[in-house]
Amino acid sequence: MRHTLIKMTKLHCLADICLIPIGTPTSSVSEYVTKVVEVFRDSGLKYTLHSAGTTIEGPWDEVTAVIGKAHEEVHAMGVVRIQSDIRIGTRTDKHQTPEDKVNSVKAKLERNLKKEYKEN
Amino acid sequence: MRHTLIKMTKLHCLADICLIPIGTPTSSVSEYVTKVVEVFRDSGLKYTLHSAGTTIEGPWDEVTAVIGKAHEEVHAMGVVRIQSDIRIGTRTDKHQTPEDKVNSVKAKLERNLKKEYKEN
Amino acid sequence: MRHTLIKMTKLHCLADICLIPIGTPTSSVSEYVTKVVEVFRDSGLKYTLHSAGTTIEGPWDEVTAVIGKAHEEVHAMGVVRIQSDIRIGTRTDKHQTPEDKVNSVKAKLERNLKKEYKEN
Amino acid sequence: MRHTLIKMTKLHCLADICLIPIGTPTSSVSEYVTKVVEVFRDSGLKYTLHSAGTTIEGPWDEVTAVIGKAHEEVHAMGVVRIQSDIRIGTRTDKHQTPEDKVNSVKAKLERNLKKEYKEN
């Protein structure tokens, strides 16, 4: 017997998804990744496509709804089985965008290069 | 401007989550994994704990709500940043439980062993 | 121009792999997962099959060699594209087996249940 | 008893790694991600930093050695426990770079937009 109804959280999150269709006629997945990107674009949430997945940002309930919608749409293309790997992060100490994360690493790479240069 | 409200899907899914707290005083994570398991148990959904994560099964909207609840609860323990890796699968061709998946592989392992035995 | 030859580390690790064949005629993956388990078994390393993947334990160089061998063997079965998700952990503070990890969580679940019981 | 020595494969692969230090004093991980990028850069292999991980490309033995080296170097910074999520893909049908993957999706997005435009 189910005794609790969990309310969907509004926690802000960054999710990165790598969706893989199983049992497709060819080894190309770009047709399906395109559909994922289109669902993300239509959601109005911020997203970025990169070579190992697609990143999407927003409240937990909306982000997970959009990823679920992507599964539904890829099933509607005739794919009977889908496996996704999702890396999802939440933090309560500060707001950080995907660009902030990359810029923070780039600044440190530059700082280290300057330090090395001075030491030599 | 946000133009669409995505409705959360009811698609049945199997999700396996590995939750990692960041910036904790010790390298032990079992206190937090325990919380995840307790949230899963209280949800009424079927779940299994294993050494590399915890598997949970049910409709997409409930499963993702429960995982979000786990993030909230771990934040409430004082963890300001959490990163989870989620493997999530959906299929429209047939219903398959976590036990079905393991049993299917075990049957094939046994079949191959018998074949090898006969060939030698 | 490549300037460094990286020496493979002997660092002890726990790796959990979920291997997905792409472009296969059916949506069943158990034939391929069976092959992965057989490669792991033949390696002599400790491994455990569960519903969301297979865990393997040992020195980094051997574990990654065995996973690479699994990719090779699944390709040899006629699969032209494979995508794996690997969760891999290393620690220098103590040795922990997959069973240790599960037992640590189970002990805390039991402790919390006893505490709740006393409080009520 | 260990009975087999697995030879490390030379299979070409694309790996995307998200490395997480556990038990660090702060919730910031950029110092450690910077180290990962520096190890990748020093390897001479092709790599790309993005907001959800770092992608590296090359023969299986070198790629996994470089990732192991990154774990070693982050341990050397004082982190006693590290958990990484690695998405790793191999294919025997054709060679595809990370840029090829992104460009293939972008071309299809554009094609679909043109189609929609014509239909309206």
Side-chain angles (χ1 to χ4, degrees), chain A residues 19-72:
Chain A
L19 178 150
I20 302 174
I22 302 179
T24 48
T26 74
S27 63
S28 172
V29 300
S30 57
E31 205 67 66
Y32 310 105
V33 175
T34 301
K35 178 57 78 182
V36 173
V37 174
E38 288 171 340
V39 171
F40 285 10
R41 183 194 62 200
D42 292 348
S43 75
L45 293 176
K46 275 185 69 179
Y47 69 95
T48 332
L49 169 69
H50 59 89
S51 71
T54 310
T55 300
I56 184 163
E57 186 187 351
W60 184 283
D61 59 349
E62 298 186 35
V63 164
T64 54
V66 169
I67 298 175
K69 170 86 172 161
H71 269 239
E72 280 192 326

Side-chain angles (χ1 to χ4, degrees), chain A residues 19-24 71 74-75 78-83, chain B residues 14 89-94 96 101, chain C residues 26-30 51:
Chain A
L19 178 150
I20 302 174
I22 302 179
T24 48
H71 269 239
V74 172
H75 280 309
V79 178
V80 297
R81 187 172 187 180
I82 303 168
Q83 183 73 23
Chain B
L14 283 185
T90 57
R91 56 192 309 176
T92 54
D93 54 346
K94 67 168 172 173
Q96 197 186 34
K101 287 172 74 176
Chain C
T26 74
S27 63
S28 172
V29 300
S30 56
S51 71

Side-chain angles (χ1 to χ4, degrees), chain A residues 2 4 9 42 62 72 86, chain B residues 2 4 42 62 72 86:
Chain A
R2 301 287 307 287
T4 343
T9 180
D42 292 348
E62 298 186 35
E72 280 192 326
I86 305 172
Chain B
R2 301 288 306 287
T4 344
D42 293 348
E62 298 186 36
E72 279 192 327
I86 305 172

Side-chain angles (χ1 to χ4, degrees), chain C residues 6-115:
Chain C
I6 301 277
K7 212 172 140 276
M8 185 70 76
T9 178
K10 282 283 178 195
L11 210 52
H12 186 86
C13 68
L14 283 186
D16 187 71
I17 179 171
C18 171
L19 177 149
I20 302 174
I22 302 179
T24 48
T26 74
S27 63
S28 172
V29 300
S30 56
E31 205 66 66
Y32 310 105
V33 176
T34 301
K35 179 57 78 183
V36 173
V37 175
E38 288 171 339
V39 171
F40 285 10
R41 182 194 62 200
D42 292 348
S43 75
L45 293 176
K46 275 186 67 180
Y47 69 95
T48 331
L49 169 68
H50 60 89
S51 71
T54 310
T55 300
I56 184 163
E57 187 187 352
W60 185 282
D61 58 349
E62 297 185 37
V63 164
T64 54
V66 169
I67 298 174
K69 170 88 172 158
H71 269 240
E72 280 191 327
E73 292 286 326
V74 173
H75 280 309
M77 290 169 82
V79 178
V80 297
R81 188 173 186 179
I82 303 168
Q83 183 74 24
S84 288
D85 181 55
I86 305 172
R87 295 172 182 163
I88 191 161
T90 55
R91 57 193 307 177
T92 53
D93 54 347
K94 66 169 174 175
H95 182 71
Q96 197 185 33
T97 66
E99 299 80 45
D100 293 337
K101 286 172 76 176
V102 170
N103 289 336
S104 174
V105 173
K106 283 187 175 164
K108 287 188 176 66
L109 284 168
E110 210 172 313
R111 179 205 62 192
N112 290 356
L113 279 175
K114 279 185 187 154
K115 216 161 56 181

Side-chain angles (χ1 to χ4, degrees), chain A residues 11 90-95, chain B residues 71 75-76 78-82:
Chain A
L11 210 52
T90 56
R91 59 193 305 178
T92 53
D93 54 346
K94 65 168 175 174
H95 182 72
Chain B
H71 268 240
H75 280 309
V79 178
V80 297
R81 187 173 187 180
I82 302 168

